[in-house]
Amino acid sequence: MAILDIRGVSQTFGEGETAIQALKPTSLSVEAGELAALLGPSGSGKSTLLLAISLIQPPTTGRIEIGGTVLHDEGPTGVDVRAFRLRHIGFIFQQHNLIPFLTARENVLLMLQLNGVARREAARQAAELLDYLEIGHRADSLPARLSGGEQQRVAIARAIAKRPAMLLCDEPTGALDGKTGRLVLEALLA
Ligand code: ADP
Ligand code: MG
């Protein structure tokens, strides 16, 4: 089954003579369990596409179906997009991922609790995930006290905590050096 199916998704910012087409009409399908990578030079519309897919920034044209639910079809379809995104989509950005005034553990806990996991169970799962990503020993640190690679591993823990149907990553290793980037990529693929 296709976890993601998009047809004719495009994005234009502004109107008239100053309009900028950030993304030409794009169609693609990704199977459940499949790993797909978007490759393209800076400014080619990769981030714009991810923001459109997740409907953080709905597209100008096109249809977006995730896990059999049509979230957008040339306009809203009546599905509660915020609730759907919270439950089914994990997002990891290049940087500025974590809430700065919450510890690593609290960042993961918050996502679980927003998804309705009870406090005790959320605490257990958060600890398990942070251990799994080998940052359990930094669980009570604020993001600013962690290295870039550690921060991204917390971001991965938070994104996969709710077991999303789809994980969207926008250059998750872009702010890291090569070696740290490889570690984060390995954690992501594990
Ligand atoms: P990539 O992620 O592939 O580097 P982006 O999706 O960020 O590319 O950007 C694609 C194009 O759209 C760029 O030319 C960028 O300047 C433009 N763009 C992105 N967001 C906006 C916006 N909110 N308003 C106007 N132009 C934008
Ligand atoms: Mg980008």
Side-chain angles (χ1 to χ4, degrees), residues 2-15:
I3 186 66
L4 174 69
D5 188 77
I6 66 170
R7 298 290 136 196
V9 170
S10 77
Q11 189 67 280
T12 303
F13 295 109
E15 285 173 24

Side-chain angles (χ1 to χ4, degrees), residues 13 20 22 41-48 57:
F13 295 109
I20 295 171
S42 176
S44 58
K46 305 181 295 295
S47 297
T48 300
Q57 194 173 64

Side-chain angles (χ1 to χ4, degrees), residues 1-6 29-32 53 63-71 79 84 88-89 164-166:
M1 190 193 90
I3 186 66
L4 174 69
D5 188 77
I6 66 170
S29 198
V30 179
E31 295 298 307
I53 287 172
R63 181 180 186 279
I64 296 168
E65 181 175 337
I66 300 176
T69 301
V70 180
L71 293 170
V79 175
F84 187 93
H88 298 294
I89 305 178
M166 184 167 69

Side-chain angles (χ1 to χ4, degrees), residues 12-61:
T12 303
F13 295 109
E15 285 173 24
E17 294 200 345
T18 56
I20 295 171
Q21 187 171 44
L23 181 69
K24 291 181 191 158
T26 301
S27 302
L28 64 88
S29 198
V30 179
E31 295 298 307
E34 192 180 354
L35 174 74
L38 289 171
L39 304 178
S42 176
S44 58
K46 305 181 295 295
S47 297
T48 300
L49 180 59
L50 293 181
L51 291 172
I53 287 172
S54 55
L55 291 159
I56 291 171
Q57 194 173 64
T60 310
T61 69

Side-chain angles (χ1 to χ4, degrees), residues 56-103:
I56 291 171
Q57 194 173 64
T60 310
T61 69
R63 181 180 186 279
I64 296 168
E65 181 175 337
I66 300 176
T69 301
V70 180
L71 293 170
H72 191 90
D73 194 359
E74 307 301 336
T77 57
V79 175
D80 183 343
V81 170
R82 278 169 188 272
F84 187 93
R85 187 165 55 227
L86 176 65
R87 178 65 200 93
H88 298 294
I89 305 178
F91 221 123
I92 302 173
F93 301 92
Q94 182 165 349
Q95 49 195 346
H96 306 305
N97 264 311
L98 302 172
I99 299 175
F101 51 84
L102 296 181
T103 65

